[in-house]
Amino acid sequence: ATLTQLVAIYEESGQFTRAGDTLAKELPTSGRPPVALLNRLAKLAYKSGDLEGALAYLAHARDLDPGNALIHYLFGVICIDLKLPPEATQSLQEAVRLDPNNPYYSYALGAVRLQEKNPDDAIPLLKKFRDARPDDPRGGFALGVAYFDAYRLDQARKEFESVVNQPETRAGACLYLGRLAVRDDKLDEAADHLRRAIQANPSVPEPYA
């Protein structure tokens, strides 16, 4: 009980490495460790910036509980951070297989498919997220990018127009709407979209170019 309280104090004060080191003392010296404990250690390792350590804890937890979709999802997300796309794809595919109705798992796998330049596979995954979370503009924006990369430009335009007034997606949506207008040789309209993209996020170089 004292160790648990100490871990909570360290975590609340942002001392994630000390929290993890303290919690690790609860690992049994032999036998099967609790999966919940491994997941908590992975969380603390991730917060401390130790991505490899977090991945190791999750790998152990995955071996003990291979039917847990959340563990596969978290493993895949950390693989994305570590720039390990094949491992990320494999883990996220398993998460989606185990829990096909979870929109966040579909979104993550769809994002990886986009990075792999495979928009046709990404579209149904991102559409599932957009339909399940219509109030989250990230879904419409990501789906618009997938449509754009798949050359389904009318559908892409519709998605970007639906999120262009949201703060989280305004800069990206304006950029893509500008690119679509350039394709249609509507240069005045394109310039207007690109100016709005710059105003929304002046640190992105692409709209200037």
Side-chain angles (χ1 to χ4, degrees):
T2 303
L3 278 177
T4 301
Q5 290 176 342
L6 186 57
V7 169
I9 292 170
Y10 282 143
E11 186 174 9
E12 289 172 3
S13 61
Q15 300 180 65
F16 302 119
T17 300
R18 298 185 73 175
D21 291 343
T22 303
L23 186 63
K25 296 176 182 178
E26 294 190 17
L27 285 169
T29 56
S30 62
R32 174 183 176 134
V35 171
L37 176 59
L38 292 170
N39 287 343
R40 181 87 188 280
L41 285 165
K43 174 185 175 182
L44 291 171
Y46 184 84
K47 285 185 171 183
S48 71
D50 180 13
L51 301 184
E52 290 84 359
L55 210 60
Y57 284 125
L58 287 171
H60 196 175
R62 184 182 59 183
D63 291 341
L64 296 173
D65 189 7
N68 189 319
L70 178 60
I71 294 173
H72 290 281
Y73 167 73
L74 295 173
F75 192 94
V77 168
I78 294 176
C79 285
I80 293 172
D81 290 340
L82 289 171
K83 295 179 172 58
L84 300 171
E87 292 82 356
T89 299
Q90 183 178 357
S91 293
L92 293 171
Q93 281 178 329
E94 185 63 10
V96 170
R97 186 188 72 80
L98 290 167
D99 189 359
N101 295 321
N102 188 307
Y104 295 100
Y105 300 171
S106 297
Y107 179 88
L109 180 57
V112 170
R113 289 302 196 194
L114 270 183
Q115 291 178 346
E116 295 172 341
K117 306 300 182 186
N118 195 342
D120 290 328
D121 283 352
I123 286 169
L125 293 162
L126 296 172
K127 191 174 185 300
K128 182 180 291 186
F129 179 87
R130 195 276 315 272
D131 292 345
R133 296 288 183 272
D135 295 333
D136 189 335
R138 295 174 302 169
F141 176 75
L143 182 57
V145 173
Y147 282 139
F148 184 90
D149 289 351
Y151 298 99
R152 295 163 63 172
L153 303 183
D154 289 339
Q155 291 168 290
R157 182 179 292 104
K158 180 180 177 181
E159 296 299 331
F160 293 133
E161 288 174 347
S162 72
V163 299
V164 72
N165 294 319
Q166 300 298 321
E168 308 98 304
T169 51
R170 181 179 295 122
C174 286
L175 171 63
Y176 273 94
L177 287 170
R179 294 174 69 179
L180 287 166
V182 169
R183 284 174 175 266
D184 294 337
D185 203 29
K186 298 177 180 178
L187 300 187
D188 289 339
E189 180 183 331
D192 182 60
H193 285 306
L194 295 172
R195 288 191 192 97
R196 292 179 62 197
I198 291 169
Q199 291 169 357
N201 190 347
S203 65
V204 176
E206 191 170 357
Y208 294 101

